Amino acid sequence: MLPLRETITPSAGQSFAWLTFDLPAFPYRWHFHPEYELTLITSGRGQRFVGNSIERFEPGDLVLLGPHLPHTWESAADPTQRSRAVVIQFAAARLAGVDGPQPEFSDIQRLLAAATRGLVFNLDADHVVRSLIASGEALPPLGRLLRLLEVLQQLATCGHARPLADEAFCRQPRARDADRIDRVCRQILEDLASPPSLSEAATLVGMSPTGFSRFFRRMTGRTFTGWIHEVQIAEACQLLTRTDQPITTIAGQAGFENLSHFNQIFKRLRGCSPRQFRQRQ
């Protein structure tokens, strides 16, 4: 499923967005944006999708996402409990000093660099940080900016962060080659059931198959076929989690004509069979 690009609008009088969501349920909305995002779940339970990571979430879930990392939170409607979250979206360049060499921001700079893969913070730790975020809604614009910097500094030094998406999934190509990679990846994502062959992808960007194969691996850190399998299995995981469709149907929708091949690739990438994965959710 091709992620949607979301346009972030700063809150009134601020250079970043500080939002509070209170919904019957979090809808599945697979999207990305160039800003960083810090999300605190204050109520509700469901599935968190970040890159090729799929995990359950509950109140207290605290995640920092880097730019352009596809993500969404999804929860089922529950008449006894609403789904609530505080979401802070910001561009590092707009936070004074964060994108520069100032030594005072060195910890935060390292934190933001690590957030490329998405970071989830220990549910039992950093309760002070969660309180700071939850109470920030009542602050004036300058107070929110100072609060955001305080929160990022505490997260940078807490030592309780765990990366979410695989490193290879998030590795960014050099800017001059990004257009080629983007064209090929979009072609794959638009029709996972019939992805282009290596030769077709090479033709799309005006390269020979051999040259394109080397180029793709150098830019992304994995083979062309390996990347397709990662995306297909990520799609299959979402379908296994969000639907009751038979595994054979899901295998076909994810682009596998052979169920045995689907099971083999799934187990290699996820460490379990599709059936076991569904049972654990």
Side-chain angles (χ1 to χ4, degrees), residues 105-149:
F105 291 94
S106 59
D107 291 334
I108 295 178
Q109 289 168 355
R110 284 191 291 270
L111 174 71
L112 298 183
T116 300
R117 298 170 57 186
L119 297 172
V120 59
F121 297 87
N122 191 305
L123 187 64
D124 298 323
D126 315 310
H127 59 278
V128 173
V129 174
R130 289 171 172 81
S131 298
L132 289 174
I133 296 172
S135 62
E137 180 70 20
L139 296 174
L142 180 58
R144 287 187 185 177
L145 174 59
L146 297 176
R147 175 65 56 84
L148 174 57
L149 292 174

Side-chain angles (χ1 to χ4, degrees), residues 34-36 67 90-100 108 112:
E35 291 81 8
Y36 290 86
F90 60 94
R94 292 188 175 183
L95 299 183
V98 169
D99 63 330
I108 295 178
L112 298 183

Side-chain angles (χ1 to χ4, degrees), residues 1 3 30-32 49-53 67-71 116-118 164-173 181 185 189 216 219-222 226-235 238 269-270:
M1 185 179 297
W30 188 233
H31 67 285
F32 70 97
F49 303 82
V50 175
N52 61 349
S53 166
H68 304 291
L69 182 58
H71 60 277
T116 300
R117 298 170 57 186
L164 292 172
D166 290 344
E167 184 176 3
F169 187 94
C170 302
R171 188 175 291 124
Q172 297 295 318
I181 295 294
C185 291
L189 290 167
F216 192 91
M219 293 297 101
T220 67
R222 62 211 129 159
W227 191 86
I228 291 178
H229 284 162
E230 288 182 25
V231 176
Q232 289 174 325
I233 295 303
E235 174 71 6
Q238 294 180 41
L269 294 179
R270 286 293 184 268

